[in-house]
């Protein structure tokens, strides 16, 4: 069914990684993923193609970049609004 080195997705969280090793516990088979080091039940995993994984990483990176840029823009705008435009020297 599954083999070491195969790229899989854990459906509940969308975690994608390559299978490192297998383990048997209480009659269930688990696969360890390289990305998390966590074991997942193999009946909860789906094989995906490597190209699809790259597309997801690119999409996530782009989304993260855009979110970070929005946060920076908001902080800059809020910092400007929180000044009273006075030129006090202090001291």
């Amino acid at each position: 069914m599954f083999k070491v080195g195969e790229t899989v997705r854990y459906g509940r969280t969308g975690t994608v990684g390559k299978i490192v090793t297998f383990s048997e516990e209480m009659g269930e088979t688990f696969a360890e993923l390289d990305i998390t080091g966590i074991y997942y039940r193999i009946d909860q995993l789906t094989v995906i193609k490597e190209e699809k994984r790259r597309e997801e990483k690119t999409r996530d990176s782009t989304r993260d970049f855009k979110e970070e840029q929005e946060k920076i823009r908001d902080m800059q705008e809020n910092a400007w609004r929180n000044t009273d435009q006075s030129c006090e020297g202090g001291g």
Side-chain angles (χ1 to χ4, degrees):
M1 180 184 245
F2 293 103
K3 56 188 173 203
V4 172
E6 207 162 27
T7 303
V8 294
R9 172 186 290 120
Y10 178 61
R12 293 183 180 194
T13 61
T15 301
V16 175
K18 289 188 183 218
I19 296 175
V20 177
T21 188
F22 294 96
S23 176
E24 294 278 334
E25 288 285 324
M26 296 184 281
E28 297 283 345
T29 303
F30 296 85
E32 179 186 2
L33 299 188
D34 64 343
I35 195 87
T36 61
I38 297 174
Y39 286 84
Y40 299 87
R41 282 186 12 202
I42 62 168
D43 64 331
Q44 301 290 318
L45 297 175
T46 306
V47 176
I48 63 169
K49 293 182 179 177
E50 188 65 27
E51 299 86 42
K52 195 170 187 177
R53 182 179 183 191
R54 280 191 217 115
E55 287 175 16
E56 288 174 356
K57 277 186 165 181
T58 302
R59 188 174 343 122
D60 290 344
S61 295
T62 302
R63 180 176 35 88
D64 291 346
F65 177 76
K66 287 179 181 178
E67 287 175 2
E68 190 65 27
Q69 292 298 337
E70 264 183 50
K71 286 179 187 176
I72 291 170
R73 195 173 318 113
D74 288 345
M75 286 189 309
Q76 289 171 337
E77 287 177 13
N78 287 334
W80 180 252
R81 286 187 199 129
N82 291 332
T83 61
D84 63 1
Q85 307 300 316
S86 63
C87 293
E88 293 182 25

